[in-house]
């Protein structure tokens, strides 16, 4: 995970921080954590903040967050709402494209983001498995 977070942090490094006053949590740190939470299927600002609050200390440290000083839901929400959505989309899309190119077998390029069935789960003898629908919270959380 640290190498994945580091690659994402590098992709987000050129985002402009919309905050004007002194900040406790760096832009790249908060956005990297938010992207990781969304990838883990936490969708709302509250859910993202819960993910940040609940990750193990080692994960928080890998993301650049002090385990005893994690960003609040209000801070995460305000920062994400203030970001330029086009720049954020470009940064995350570039990171995903680089990860896809680095991990795709035999030159195939695909990133499963959404769908009704799980890609690659069908064989000549077995039907494709249905993908789980996304939700604000993974199973077993509030």
């Amino acid at each position: 995970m640290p190498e994945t977070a580091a690659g994402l942090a590098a992709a987000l490094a050129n985002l402009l921080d919309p905050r004007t006053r002194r900040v406790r949590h760096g832009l790249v740190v908060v956005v990297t954590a938010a992207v990781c939470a969304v990838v883990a299927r936490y969708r709302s600002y509250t859910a993202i903040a819960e993910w940040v609050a609940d990750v193990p200390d080692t994960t928080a440290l890998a993301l650049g967050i002090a385990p005893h000083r994690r960003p609040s839901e209000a801070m995460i929400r305000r920062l994400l709402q203030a970001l330029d959505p086009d720049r954020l989309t470009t940064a995350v899309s570039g990171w995903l494209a680089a990860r896809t190119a680095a991990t795709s077998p035999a030159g195939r390029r695909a990133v499963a983001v959404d769908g009704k069935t799980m890609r690659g789960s069908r064989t000549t003898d077995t039907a494709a498995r249905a993908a789980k629908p996304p939700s604000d919270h993974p199973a077993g959380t509030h």
Side-chain angles (χ1 to χ4, degrees):
M1 159 123 168
E3 60 278 355
T4 302
L8 178 56
L12 298 171
N14 291 326
L15 289 177
L16 300 175
D17 195 334
R19 300 170 293 180
T20 56
R21 60 189 181 125
R22 194 181 86 142
V23 295
R24 177 177 296 151
H25 302 287
L27 171 106
V28 172
V29 169
V30 176
V31 177
T32 298
V35 170
C36 291
V38 170
V39 168
R41 300 181 69 179
Y42 289 75
R43 301 288 188 248
S44 69
Y45 297 119
T46 301
I48 291 168
E50 288 174 358
W51 184 88
V52 169
D54 293 342
V55 295
D57 290 351
T58 54
T59 302
L61 288 169
L63 293 169
I65 300 170
H68 63 283
R69 291 261 322 169
R70 299 184 189 215
S72 69
E73 183 273 339
M75 197 281 310
I76 293 168
R77 178 179 28 83
R78 283 192 306 265
L79 177 59
L80 294 177
Q81 288 176 342
L83 285 175
D84 180 326
D86 294 330
R87 287 182 182 232
L88 179 59
T89 299
T90 299
V92 173
S93 297
W95 173 69
L96 285 171
R99 296 228 8 107
T100 300
T103 60
S104 292
R108 294 180 63 192
R109 298 191 66 193
V111 176
V113 177
D114 194 1
K116 304 267 189 251
T117 61
M118 294 174 57
R119 182 178 297 277
S121 65
R122 181 182 63 139
T123 66
T124 55
D125 301 331
T126 309
R129 293 184 308 209
K132 294 180 182 176
S135 64
D136 267 359
H137 300 279
T141 62
H142 325 59

